[in-house]
């Protein structure tokens, strides 16, 4: 059940007057995986685990209010459109 999930984040810059709350989507959920017996005998590239990650996403940009002229008021963040279970190599 690796799917886009609603997520609320708070962003701020110490130079700006306000904190901004953004509602977005992130990838979250369960991916089928298993633990391999005999990890000590396998090379590191053989040790992997599926994790929930982005398949398609886009970036949105928000403007933080109350910033002085010398501070860039823009903040970009990813929005999950679709998700997948992807393979990650364990170290």
């Amino acid at each position: 059940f690796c799917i886009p999930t609603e997520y609320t984040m708070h962003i701020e810059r110490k130079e700006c007057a306000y904190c901004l709350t953004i509602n977005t989507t992130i990838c979250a959920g369960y991916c089928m995986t298993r633990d391999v017996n005999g990890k000590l005998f396998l090379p590191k590239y053989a040790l992997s685990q599926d994790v929930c990650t982005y398949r398609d996403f886009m970036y949105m940009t928000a403007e933080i209010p109350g910033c002085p002229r010398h501070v860039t008021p823009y903040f970009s963040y990813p929005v999950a459109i679709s998700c997948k279970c992807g393979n990650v190599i364990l170290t």
Side-chain angles (χ1 to χ4, degrees):
F1 300 90
C2 175
I3 58 173
T5 304
E6 292 181 11
Y7 183 75
T8 302
M9 68 177 150
H10 306 279
I11 58 169
E12 64 180 318
R13 291 214 167 100
K14 61 183 175 183
E15 302 89 357
C16 302
Y18 299 96
C19 176
L20 193 61
T21 300
I22 295 175
N23 294 317
T24 187
T25 54
I26 62 170
C27 289
Y30 176 77
C31 293
M32 189 67 140
T33 190
R34 61 182 172 178
D35 194 13
V36 178
N37 289 332
K39 290 180 188 176
L40 298 175
F41 307 109
L42 295 173
K44 285 193 177 192
Y45 67 83
L47 302 174
S48 64
Q49 185 174 17
D50 282 344
V51 296
C52 185
T53 186
Y54 296 93
R55 178 187 311 268
D56 295 309
F57 63 94
M58 64 181 201
Y59 277 98
M60 298 291 289
T61 300
E63 185 175 354
I64 304 170
C67 296
R69 285 183 177 221
H70 70 281
V71 174
T72 304
Y74 302 107
F75 177 80
S76 294
Y77 57 95
V79 177
I81 297 170
S82 64
C83 304
K84 66 178 181 175
C85 288
N87 203 277
V88 173
I89 295 174
L90 303 174
T91 56

